[in-house]
Amino acid sequence: MVTQTEKSIEGYRYYGRSNLANVNAYSAALKQVGSEYGYTPWLYGAIGLPFLFRTVENVNTEPVLHELPHERIIGLLNNLGVRVEGMSEVASGERLAELRDEAWDTLRAKVDGGVPCFGRGFYFSHGETSVVQGYDAAEETYIISCWHDIKSVSRHTLGERDGLVDLHWMGPGGRAEDVRRTVRDALALAVEFAEGRLTSADTYVGAAAYAQWVGQLRKGAVDGWFFAYAAHEWDTVKTHGYKFLVEAKERLGEEAPAALDRGIREFGAVHDRIHRVYELFPWSQPRGLIADTERRLEAARLLEEAAPHDLAAIEAFRSVVAELSESADGSGGMSA
Protein backbone atom coordinates (compact mmCIF):
# COMPACT_ATOMS: atom_id res chain seq x y z
CA MET A 1 0.00 0.00 0.00
CA VAL A 2 1.24 3.47 -0.87
CA THR A 3 1.37 5.70 2.20
CA GLN A 4 0.82 9.44 2.18
CA THR A 5 4.53 10.04 2.64
CA GLU A 6 5.44 8.09 -0.52
CA LYS A 7 5.62 9.70 -3.92
CA SER A 8 6.44 7.95 -7.19
CA ILE A 9 6.21 8.81 -10.86
CA GLU A 10 3.09 7.12 -12.18
CA GLY A 11 3.80 4.37 -14.69
CA TYR A 12 7.56 4.60 -14.31
CA ARG A 13 9.35 1.42 -13.26
CA TYR A 14 11.94 -1.15 -14.26
CA TYR A 15 11.05 -4.02 -16.57
CA GLY A 16 13.50 -6.87 -17.18
CA ARG A 17 12.93 -7.11 -20.91
CA SER A 18 16.65 -6.92 -21.69
CA ASN A 19 19.34 -9.00 -19.97
CA LEU A 20 21.26 -5.74 -19.43
CA ALA A 21 20.12 -3.72 -16.44
CA ASN A 22 21.27 -0.37 -17.82
CA VAL A 23 19.31 -0.88 -21.05
CA ASN A 24 16.21 -1.67 -18.98
CA ALA A 25 16.63 1.53 -16.96
CA TYR A 26 17.39 3.72 -19.98
CA SER A 27 14.44 2.23 -21.85
CA ALA A 28 12.09 2.93 -18.96
CA ALA A 29 13.21 6.57 -18.89
CA LEU A 30 12.96 6.89 -22.67
CA LYS A 31 9.42 5.53 -22.59
CA GLN A 32 8.53 7.96 -19.82
CA VAL A 33 9.63 10.98 -21.89
CA GLY A 34 7.84 9.74 -25.00
CA SER A 35 10.79 8.36 -26.97
CA GLU A 36 10.35 5.24 -29.12
CA TYR A 37 14.00 4.19 -28.81
CA GLY A 38 13.64 1.91 -25.81
CA TYR A 39 15.00 -1.61 -26.40
CA THR A 40 15.74 -0.89 -30.06
CA PRO A 41 18.97 -1.75 -31.91
CA TRP A 42 19.43 2.00 -32.37
CA LEU A 43 19.56 2.48 -28.60
CA TYR A 44 22.04 -0.36 -28.08
CA GLY A 45 24.28 0.87 -30.89
CA ALA A 46 24.00 4.59 -30.17
CA ILE A 47 25.45 4.10 -26.67
CA GLY A 48 28.25 1.90 -27.99
CA LEU A 49 27.51 -1.20 -25.88
CA PRO A 50 27.72 -3.83 -28.64
CA PHE A 51 31.30 -2.89 -29.48
CA LEU A 52 32.86 -2.95 -25.98
CA PHE A 53 34.23 -6.48 -25.53
CA ARG A 54 35.92 -6.96 -22.18
CA THR A 55 36.61 -9.36 -19.33
CA VAL A 56 38.75 -9.66 -16.21
CA GLU A 57 41.35 -12.04 -14.77
CA ASN A 58 38.70 -14.19 -13.09
CA VAL A 59 36.28 -14.89 -15.93
CA ASN A 60 33.92 -16.66 -13.52
CA THR A 61 32.19 -13.45 -12.47
CA GLU A 62 29.06 -11.63 -13.61
CA PRO A 63 29.78 -9.59 -16.77
CA VAL A 64 27.95 -6.62 -15.27
CA LEU A 65 30.92 -6.18 -12.94
CA HIS A 66 33.40 -5.92 -15.80
CA GLU A 67 34.54 -2.35 -16.24
CA LEU A 68 32.56 -0.05 -18.53
CA PRO A 69 32.82 3.73 -19.20
CA HIS A 70 29.40 4.40 -17.72
CA GLU A 71 29.53 8.18 -17.91
CA ARG A 72 30.47 8.09 -21.59
CA ILE A 73 27.67 5.62 -22.27
CA ILE A 74 25.10 7.75 -20.47
CA GLY A 75 26.35 10.84 -22.26
CA LEU A 76 25.64 9.21 -25.60
CA LEU A 77 21.96 9.04 -24.69
CA ASN A 78 21.95 12.76 -25.48
CA ASN A 79 22.27 11.88 -29.16
CA LEU A 80 18.75 10.38 -29.07
CA GLY A 81 16.88 13.66 -28.86
CA VAL A 82 16.65 13.72 -25.05
CA ARG A 83 18.53 15.64 -22.40
CA VAL A 84 20.34 13.60 -19.76
CA GLU A 85 22.09 15.17 -16.80
CA GLY A 86 23.38 13.80 -13.55
CA MET A 87 25.96 13.27 -10.88
CA SER A 88 28.41 10.42 -10.45
CA GLU A 89 31.28 10.37 -7.99
CA VAL A 90 33.12 7.96 -5.71
CA ALA A 91 33.80 9.54 -2.33
CA SER A 92 34.19 8.90 1.38
CA GLY A 93 33.83 10.73 4.67
CA GLU A 94 32.34 14.22 4.60
CA ARG A 95 32.27 14.34 0.81
CA LEU A 96 30.20 11.16 0.68
CA ALA A 97 27.76 12.65 3.18
CA GLU A 98 27.46 15.78 1.03
CA LEU A 99 26.79 13.71 -2.08
CA ARG A 100 24.14 11.68 -0.28
CA ASP A 101 22.32 14.88 0.69
CA GLU A 102 22.64 16.29 -2.81
CA ALA A 103 21.30 13.11 -4.40
CA TRP A 104 18.37 12.97 -1.98
CA ASP A 105 17.37 16.60 -2.53
CA THR A 106 17.78 16.28 -6.29
CA LEU A 107 15.77 13.07 -6.53
CA ARG A 108 12.84 14.50 -4.59
CA ALA A 109 12.76 17.59 -6.80
CA LYS A 110 12.90 15.51 -9.97
CA VAL A 111 10.19 13.09 -8.85
CA ASP A 112 7.98 15.99 -7.78
CA GLY A 113 8.40 17.36 -11.31
CA GLY A 114 7.73 14.02 -12.98
CA VAL A 115 11.31 13.69 -14.29
CA PRO A 116 12.47 10.04 -14.58
CA CYS A 117 15.70 9.15 -12.78
CA PHE A 118 18.02 6.15 -12.76
CA GLY A 119 21.36 5.33 -11.21
CA ARG A 120 23.92 2.75 -10.14
CA GLY A 121 24.64 1.43 -6.68
CA PHE A 122 21.17 1.83 -5.19
CA TYR A 123 20.62 -1.87 -4.70
CA PHE A 124 23.59 -3.63 -6.27
CA SER A 125 27.23 -2.62 -6.36
CA HIS A 126 28.92 -0.36 -8.91
CA GLY A 127 27.83 -1.95 -12.17
CA GLU A 128 24.09 -2.49 -11.74
CA THR A 129 21.59 0.18 -12.81
CA SER A 130 18.19 0.69 -11.20
CA VAL A 131 15.18 2.85 -11.94
CA VAL A 132 14.77 5.41 -9.15
CA GLN A 133 11.05 5.98 -9.34
CA GLY A 134 10.17 7.69 -6.09
CA TYR A 135 10.84 8.34 -2.43
CA ASP A 136 9.30 8.12 1.03
CA ALA A 137 9.81 11.43 2.80
CA ALA A 138 9.02 10.12 6.28
CA GLU A 139 11.16 6.99 6.04
CA GLU A 140 13.88 8.85 4.10
CA THR A 141 14.09 6.06 1.56
CA TYR A 142 14.39 5.84 -2.20
CA ILE A 143 11.80 3.74 -3.99
CA ILE A 144 13.66 1.89 -6.70
CA SER A 145 12.93 -0.98 -9.05
CA CYS A 146 15.46 -3.41 -10.44
CA TRP A 147 15.94 -7.13 -11.16
CA HIS A 148 14.65 -7.85 -7.66
CA ASP A 149 11.38 -5.92 -8.15
CA ILE A 150 10.53 -2.81 -6.09
CA LYS A 151 12.76 -2.01 -3.11
CA SER A 152 13.10 0.69 -0.49
CA VAL A 153 16.65 1.91 0.04
CA SER A 154 17.70 4.21 2.88
CA ARG A 155 19.15 7.45 1.64
CA HIS A 156 21.80 7.14 4.37
CA THR A 157 23.20 3.90 2.93
CA LEU A 158 23.78 5.17 -0.61
CA GLY A 159 27.40 4.50 -1.51
CA GLU A 160 28.16 2.44 1.59
CA ARG A 161 29.56 -0.51 -0.40
CA ASP A 162 31.91 1.32 -2.74
CA GLY A 163 31.51 5.06 -2.17
CA LEU A 164 29.60 5.53 -5.42
CA VAL A 165 26.81 8.10 -5.61
CA ASP A 166 25.36 7.91 -9.10
CA LEU A 167 22.07 9.53 -10.13
CA HIS A 168 20.93 10.70 -13.56
CA TRP A 169 17.72 12.15 -14.89
CA MET A 170 16.22 12.40 -18.37
CA GLY A 171 13.93 14.93 -19.97
CA PRO A 172 12.83 16.10 -23.39
CA GLY A 173 14.29 19.14 -25.06
CA GLY A 174 17.62 17.68 -26.07
CA ARG A 175 19.44 18.82 -29.19
CA ALA A 176 18.09 17.71 -32.54
CA GLU A 177 19.12 14.23 -33.62
CA ASP A 178 21.90 13.92 -36.18
CA VAL A 179 22.58 10.43 -37.56
CA ARG A 180 26.16 11.30 -38.50
CA ARG A 181 26.91 12.45 -34.96
CA THR A 182 25.21 9.42 -33.38
CA VAL A 183 27.17 6.94 -35.49
CA ARG A 184 30.44 8.85 -35.15
CA ASP A 185 30.21 9.13 -31.36
CA ALA A 186 29.21 5.51 -30.80
CA LEU A 187 32.00 4.14 -32.97
CA ALA A 188 34.53 6.61 -31.54
CA LEU A 189 33.76 5.16 -28.12
CA ALA A 190 34.28 1.66 -29.54
CA VAL A 191 37.70 2.60 -30.91
CA GLU A 192 38.87 4.25 -27.68
CA PHE A 193 37.68 1.33 -25.60
CA ALA A 194 39.41 -1.24 -27.82
CA GLU A 195 42.64 0.75 -27.45
CA GLY A 196 42.46 0.33 -23.68
CA ARG A 197 42.18 4.06 -23.02
CA LEU A 198 38.98 3.84 -20.97
CA THR A 199 39.70 1.02 -18.54
CA SER A 200 42.15 0.15 -15.82
CA ALA A 201 44.97 -2.35 -16.27
CA ASP A 202 42.80 -4.97 -14.52
CA THR A 203 40.37 -5.16 -17.45
CA TYR A 204 41.14 -7.06 -20.65
CA VAL A 205 39.66 -5.42 -23.75
CA GLY A 206 39.41 -6.36 -27.42
CA ALA A 207 41.89 -8.98 -28.58
CA ALA A 208 43.25 -9.47 -25.06
CA ALA A 209 39.76 -10.24 -23.78
CA TYR A 210 39.22 -12.86 -26.48
CA ALA A 211 42.60 -14.40 -25.67
CA GLN A 212 41.74 -14.54 -21.98
CA TRP A 213 38.51 -16.40 -22.64
CA VAL A 214 40.12 -18.76 -25.16
CA GLY A 215 42.95 -19.61 -22.78
CA GLN A 216 40.64 -20.22 -19.82
CA LEU A 217 38.31 -22.40 -21.90
CA ARG A 218 41.15 -24.53 -23.17
CA LYS A 219 42.50 -24.94 -19.65
CA GLY A 220 39.10 -26.14 -18.49
CA ALA A 221 38.91 -23.34 -15.92
CA VAL A 222 35.54 -21.87 -16.94
CA ASP A 223 32.33 -22.30 -14.94
CA GLY A 224 29.44 -23.17 -17.25
CA TRP A 225 26.93 -20.92 -15.48
CA PHE A 226 29.14 -17.84 -15.74
CA PHE A 227 30.07 -18.64 -19.34
CA ALA A 228 26.43 -18.87 -20.38
CA TYR A 229 25.77 -15.60 -18.51
CA ALA A 230 28.53 -13.90 -20.52
CA ALA A 231 27.51 -15.53 -23.82
CA HIS A 232 23.93 -14.38 -23.29
CA GLU A 233 25.10 -10.77 -22.93
CA TRP A 234 27.45 -11.06 -25.91
CA ASP A 235 24.75 -12.50 -28.16
CA THR A 236 22.27 -9.80 -27.14
CA VAL A 237 24.57 -6.86 -27.78
CA LYS A 238 26.23 -8.23 -30.91
CA THR A 239 22.83 -8.93 -32.48
CA HIS A 240 21.63 -5.41 -31.80
CA GLY A 241 25.00 -3.94 -32.77
CA TYR A 242 24.92 -5.58 -36.19
CA LYS A 243 21.36 -4.31 -36.75
CA PHE A 244 22.47 -0.83 -35.66
CA LEU A 245 25.26 -0.78 -38.25
CA VAL A 246 22.91 -1.90 -41.02
CA GLU A 247 20.36 0.72 -39.96
CA ALA A 248 23.10 3.34 -39.82
CA LYS A 249 23.96 2.66 -43.46
CA GLU A 250 20.30 2.99 -44.42
CA ARG A 251 19.86 6.23 -42.49
CA LEU A 252 23.05 7.76 -43.84
CA GLY A 253 22.21 6.84 -47.42
CA GLU A 254 24.64 8.42 -49.87
CA GLU A 255 26.54 9.95 -46.95
CA ALA A 256 27.50 6.52 -45.58
CA PRO A 257 31.31 6.16 -45.51
CA ALA A 258 32.70 3.36 -47.67
CA ALA A 259 34.36 1.85 -44.60
CA LEU A 260 30.96 1.26 -43.04
CA ASP A 261 30.40 -1.66 -45.43
CA ARG A 262 33.63 -3.21 -44.17
CA GLY A 263 32.56 -2.62 -40.59
CA ILE A 264 29.21 -4.30 -41.22
CA ARG A 265 30.89 -7.30 -42.85
CA GLU A 266 33.51 -7.78 -40.15
CA PHE A 267 31.15 -7.18 -37.24
CA GLY A 268 28.68 -9.54 -38.89
CA ALA A 269 31.38 -12.23 -38.76
CA VAL A 270 31.86 -11.49 -35.04
CA HIS A 271 28.12 -11.74 -34.45
CA ASP A 272 27.96 -15.05 -36.31
CA ARG A 273 30.67 -16.65 -34.14
CA ILE A 274 29.25 -15.24 -30.92
CA HIS A 275 25.78 -16.50 -31.75
CA ARG A 276 27.16 -19.97 -32.37
CA VAL A 277 28.91 -19.81 -28.98
CA TYR A 278 25.59 -18.91 -27.38
CA GLU A 279 23.89 -21.82 -29.15
CA LEU A 280 26.49 -24.10 -27.56
CA PHE A 281 25.93 -22.59 -24.10
CA PRO A 282 22.43 -21.06 -23.95
CA TRP A 283 21.27 -19.38 -20.76
CA SER A 284 21.39 -20.91 -18.27
CA GLN A 285 23.91 -23.71 -17.64
CA PRO A 286 24.66 -25.78 -14.51
CA ARG A 287 27.17 -24.31 -12.11
CA GLY A 288 30.63 -25.84 -12.02
CA LEU A 289 33.50 -26.29 -14.46
CA ILE A 290 32.37 -27.25 -17.96
CA ALA A 291 32.57 -31.04 -18.21
CA ASP A 292 31.81 -31.31 -21.93
CA THR A 293 35.27 -30.96 -23.47
CA GLU A 294 34.01 -30.96 -27.05
CA ARG A 295 31.62 -28.05 -26.50
CA ARG A 296 34.18 -26.15 -24.45
CA LEU A 297 36.89 -26.41 -27.10
CA GLU A 298 34.45 -25.56 -29.89
CA ALA A 299 33.49 -22.39 -28.03
CA ALA A 300 37.18 -21.53 -27.67
CA ARG A 301 37.69 -22.07 -31.41
CA LEU A 302 34.77 -19.80 -32.30
CA LEU A 303 36.01 -17.03 -30.00
CA GLU A 304 39.49 -17.36 -31.47
CA GLU A 305 37.96 -16.96 -34.95
CA ALA A 306 35.93 -13.93 -33.82
CA ALA A 307 38.94 -12.03 -32.48
CA PRO A 308 40.56 -10.96 -35.81
CA HIS A 309 37.16 -10.00 -37.21
CA ASP A 310 36.56 -7.84 -34.14
CA LEU A 311 39.94 -6.16 -34.65
CA ALA A 312 39.14 -5.56 -38.34
CA ALA A 313 35.75 -4.11 -37.40
CA ILE A 314 37.41 -1.66 -35.01
CA GLU A 315 39.80 -0.57 -37.77
CA ALA A 316 36.84 -0.01 -40.08
CA PHE A 317 35.10 1.98 -37.34
CA ARG A 318 38.21 4.14 -37.04
CA SER A 319 37.88 5.05 -40.72
CA VAL A 320 34.15 5.69 -40.38
CA VAL A 321 34.75 8.03 -37.44
CA ALA A 322 37.42 9.94 -39.36
CA GLU A 323 35.21 10.44 -42.39
CA LEU A 324 32.13 11.43 -40.42
CA SER A 325 34.22 13.84 -38.34
CA GLU A 326 35.28 15.78 -41.43
CA SER A 327 31.85 17.32 -41.83
CA ALA A 328 30.54 16.98 -38.29
CA ASP A 329 29.44 20.02 -36.36
CA GLY A 330 32.08 19.45 -33.72
CA SER A 331 29.67 18.84 -30.84
CA GLY A 332 30.38 15.63 -29.07
CA GLY A 333 27.35 14.10 -27.41
CA MET A 334 29.80 12.76 -24.87
CA SER A 335 28.88 14.76 -21.78
CA ALA A 336 26.31 13.72 -19.26
Side-chain angles (χ1 to χ4, degrees), residues 42-52 73 76 185-187 189-190 244:
W42 198 252
L43 167 61
Y44 278 86
I47 58 178
L49 275 177
F51 316 114
L52 312 182
I73 289 169
L76 291 176
D185 290 354
L187 298 187
L189 176 59
F244 167 79

Side-chain angles (χ1 to χ4, degrees), residues 297-311:
L297 294 181
E298 177 63 6
R301 185 188 68 81
L302 288 168
L303 289 175
E304 190 170 48
E305 283 188 3
H309 290 292
D310 199 312
L311 179 61

